[in-house]
Amino acid sequence: MGKSKDKNIIDDADKHVADQDPLDKSSTDNSPQETSVDFIQKLEDKCLRLNAEIDNMHKRHVIEIQKAHKFGLESFIRELLPVIDNLEQALKNFSSSSNADREGIEITLKSFENVLDKFGIRPINPVDEKFDPQLHEAVSVIANKELADDDVMQVLQRGWEINERIIRPARVIVVKN
């Protein structure tokens, strides 16, 4: 509601009261007072509704700020995930002769993961779990009699979540017999 509309209502009320002659007995004693009482009740109702609307706006604003704090890093993390993937791939492709380099990359990856963990960003690594389409993306299906149907046989790429919201699902190979 705009201020001008509320001002018009108040002006109308002032005119209504000013137009009434207190000595005029032509109308019943209660009718002018009843309309004023009705008008005051309408104004009080409008005030209550506006206060409720302001409270609701405030609550929505607080929730939006909390979401921004909670999930503000999501797009930034999406851009960093390929860096983590490259470090993991480098670890897989190292030969046994270069242990010093391997240890350096392992330490770098571990410190990177520790920083992500501090901000509520956790990996989804579903080895030996049941396939969950909410958390996993099945890239391939393989028959394996040693494992049950819908078990994750291999993780090709870890998934990531921030505060229980999926940033990227884990890419997996699933068992189907």
Side-chain angles (χ1 to χ4, degrees), residues 34-77:
E34 282 180 21
T35 57
S36 296
V37 169
D38 290 343
F39 188 74
I40 290 171
Q41 286 176 344
K42 287 179 184 176
L43 287 177
E44 287 175 348
D45 183 56
K46 187 177 274 191
C47 285
L48 285 174
R49 290 178 190 275
L50 289 173
N51 281 338
E53 188 175 332
I54 289 170
D55 286 345
N56 288 337
M57 285 174 38
H58 176 70
K59 289 174 186 175
R60 281 193 302 269
H61 182 68
V62 167
I63 289 170
E64 289 298 320
I65 288 173
Q66 288 173 344
K67 283 182 183 178
H69 285 288
K70 204 172 186 181
F71 302 113
L73 294 174
E74 190 171 345
S75 62
F76 178 68
I77 296 305

Side-chain angles (χ1 to χ4, degrees), residues 24-37:
D24 184 17
K25 300 292 184 186
S26 62
S27 62
T28 61
D29 289 339
N30 293 337
S31 70
Q33 200 164 17
E34 282 180 21
T35 57
S36 296
V37 169

